[in-house]
Amino acid sequence: MLSGFKAFILRGNVIELAVAVVIGAAFNTVVQRVVDSLINPIIGQAFDADSLDGALIVGLPRGGEIAFGAVIGAIINFVIVAAVVYFVFVLPMNKLRPKVAEAPTGPSDVDLLGEIRDLLKAQAAQEPGSSQTAPEGPAAQPVSRAADITADGANGPAHKH
């Protein structure tokens, strides 16, 4: 039981997640200071309020109020965090990550089966004493679509139940 826990903790993803949480908490403090020291005074001058929480408050007829400023402040906070995370973490990591070339795709199964059929026909035509006609039966019929092959490999439309 302890060895399983040790293997779980020492996995790379868990360590990376723990580091991300710690950095995120510290970064939240930085963003909060930027909002409190830079954005709130600008908003305070524009809307005659101390912070976004006190700006753009609309009173409701039966009491209560809607604080649009608090919502705008949360959106600004989110945009700042998202921009910094993208430009400081994501963009540099994408540039440092090696580019992985996609594996070239070969011919489809249907194309390969058609080539095998053609090779078998050519081989049968070269054998002495064989007729030049194609063999009879379901094996001689070309498969035109991959959907015509059922799960058990037989020809015919595949039915999903």
Side-chain angles (χ1 to χ4, degrees), residues 128-147:
S130 66
S131 64
Q132 296 286 336
T133 61
E136 299 289 328
Q141 298 175 356
V143 177
S144 61
R145 296 181 335 159

Side-chain angles (χ1 to χ4, degrees), residues 1-9:
M1 183 159 119
L2 220 49
S3 64
F5 180 72
K6 180 180 174 184
F8 172 74
I9 290 298

Side-chain angles (χ1 to χ4, degrees), residues 60-150:
L60 297 175
R62 295 186 181 174
E65 54 193 27
I66 299 174
F68 287 110
V71 173
I72 293 170
I75 291 170
I76 290 172
N77 196 0
F78 171 77
V79 169
I80 290 171
V81 171
V84 170
V85 166
Y86 179 75
F87 289 112
V88 172
F89 298 112
V90 175
L91 197 60
M93 287 303 294
N94 285 342
K95 288 184 178 181
L96 291 175
R97 184 176 294 149
K99 304 250 188 255
V100 178
E102 292 185 24
T105 58
S108 69
D109 293 346
V110 174
D111 293 336
L112 291 174
L113 288 172
E115 288 179 26
I116 292 170
R117 180 198 62 225
D118 295 341
L119 289 172
L120 288 174
K121 281 183 183 178
Q123 182 181 10
Q126 290 177 355
E127 290 180 5
S130 66
S131 64
Q132 296 286 336
T133 61
E136 299 289 328
Q141 298 175 356
V143 177
S144 61
R145 296 181 335 159
D148 290 340
I149 300 175
T150 59

Side-chain angles (χ1 to χ4, degrees), residues 2 19 27 52 60 138 156 158:
L2 220 49
V19 170
F27 183 68
L52 285 172
L60 297 175

Side-chain angles (χ1 to χ4, degrees), residues 2-59:
L2 220 49
S3 64
F5 180 72
K6 180 180 174 184
F8 172 74
I9 290 298
L10 293 179
R11 267 196 213 155
N13 293 345
V14 174
I15 302 296
E16 290 171 5
L17 181 60
V19 170
V21 168
V22 170
I23 289 176
F27 183 68
N28 187 35
T29 304
V30 172
V31 170
Q32 193 61 45
R33 294 289 182 217
V34 168
V35 170
D36 290 342
S37 302
L38 181 66
I39 295 176
N40 280 344
I42 294 171
I43 297 297
Q45 290 297 315
F47 295 105
D48 194 27
D50 292 336
S51 69
L52 285 172
D53 293 339
L56 297 172
I57 296 177
V58 176

